[in-house]
Amino acid sequence: MANIDYGNMPTWISAIGTTGALLISTVLLRKALKERTEALDEKKRDQASKVSAWMDGESRSIRVRNGSEAVVDECFVFVWFKRSGLPPGSNEVTRAELPIIAVPPMTTREIELPWEEPLQWSLSGVQFRDSKGRRWKRSMGEGLVELLPPWEAPLLARVLRFLKKVVKRKDRDG
């Protein structure tokens, strides 16, 4: 049998310790980055989370509350309604956008429905722009969602990156 030299034991222990320390520091770094990202996201959503809308069936109005310390503007509420006088069994439903424009800080704005007799109506959601210029939408089904500009949408970004590569290749080849 051949005599195999595995090196000395302190070198092996040092290598294993170094590898373990590297793995632990990588895990801790990932955890810290995740916590930081979550904190930044929460800070970004802070003002938007304080804007809400609800309907008041008795007064036939919609109220939008800005509980933040800064104005929100470009505010719209979305309403689904079904007019009276339609044939029985008709499911014709219309969606309307009602502008509120701006809601000052710590204020509730009220908008009355402009229709006389919709048979049924419901609030679908509210859309607005916060003081940092970010657009938000709060809907009854999705909750609070940031509306990205079209050029930041994930699919469009991938398509644009692909097109840049294709154009670079054509410039290089042609």
Side-chain angles (χ1 to χ4, degrees):
M1 241 177 161
N3 191 7
I4 300 174
D5 183 19
Y6 292 104
N8 60 19
M9 190 58 86
T11 303
W12 278 99
I13 292 172
S14 174
I16 292 170
T18 302
T19 303
L22 182 63
L23 289 174
I24 290 171
S25 64
T26 302
V27 168
L28 291 175
L29 178 63
R30 286 183 128 189
K31 183 179 176 184
L33 288 174
K34 182 180 177 185
E35 288 173 358
R36 182 168 185 252
T37 302
E38 288 172 357
L40 288 173
D41 190 42
E42 187 175 319
K43 183 178 178 182
K44 182 167 84 170
R45 298 171 65 92
D46 183 51
Q47 180 183 11
S49 68
K50 295 177 183 173
V51 177
S52 59
W54 67 96
M55 57 188 206
D56 183 358
E58 292 177 14
S59 66
R60 294 179 35 81
S61 65
I62 297 172
R63 294 191 175 118
V64 177
R65 170 86 177 148
N66 178 9
S68 73
E69 311 247 335
V71 69
V72 295
D73 58 358
E74 295 181 21
C75 187
F76 294 89
V77 291
F78 301 100
V79 178
W80 292 100
F81 68 94
K82 183 177 180 181
R83 292 192 182 276
S84 59
L86 293 174
S90 173
N91 291 329
E92 184 179 324
V93 178
T94 306
R95 180 176 182 238
E97 294 181 14
L98 304 174
I100 296 182
I101 310 304
V103 184
M106 307 304 282
T107 305
T108 301
R109 284 274 170 98
E110 183 175 0
I111 183 169
E112 297 206 14
L113 293 178
W115 311 286
E116 289 297 320
E117 284 293 325
L119 181 63
Q120 298 172 337
W121 64 280
S122 66
L123 177 65
S124 171
V126 61
Q127 181 177 320
F128 57 92
R129 187 176 65 156
D130 68 11
S131 61
K132 303 282 191 226
R134 292 183 289 259
R135 296 188 183 284
W136 297 90
K137 176 179 138 186
R138 181 186 300 277
S139 66
M140 302 308 136
E142 298 175 345
L144 184 63
V145 177
E146 183 178 7
L147 300 174
L148 296 174
W151 58 87
E152 288 184 17
L155 177 61
L156 184 59
R158 288 198 314 253
V159 170
L160 291 174
R161 280 195 302 267
F162 172 75
L163 290 174
K164 283 181 183 177
K165 289 179 185 177
V166 170
V167 169
K168 284 182 183 176
R169 276 193 218 137
K170 284 186 177 180
D171 289 344
R172 208 175 344 136
D173 296 341

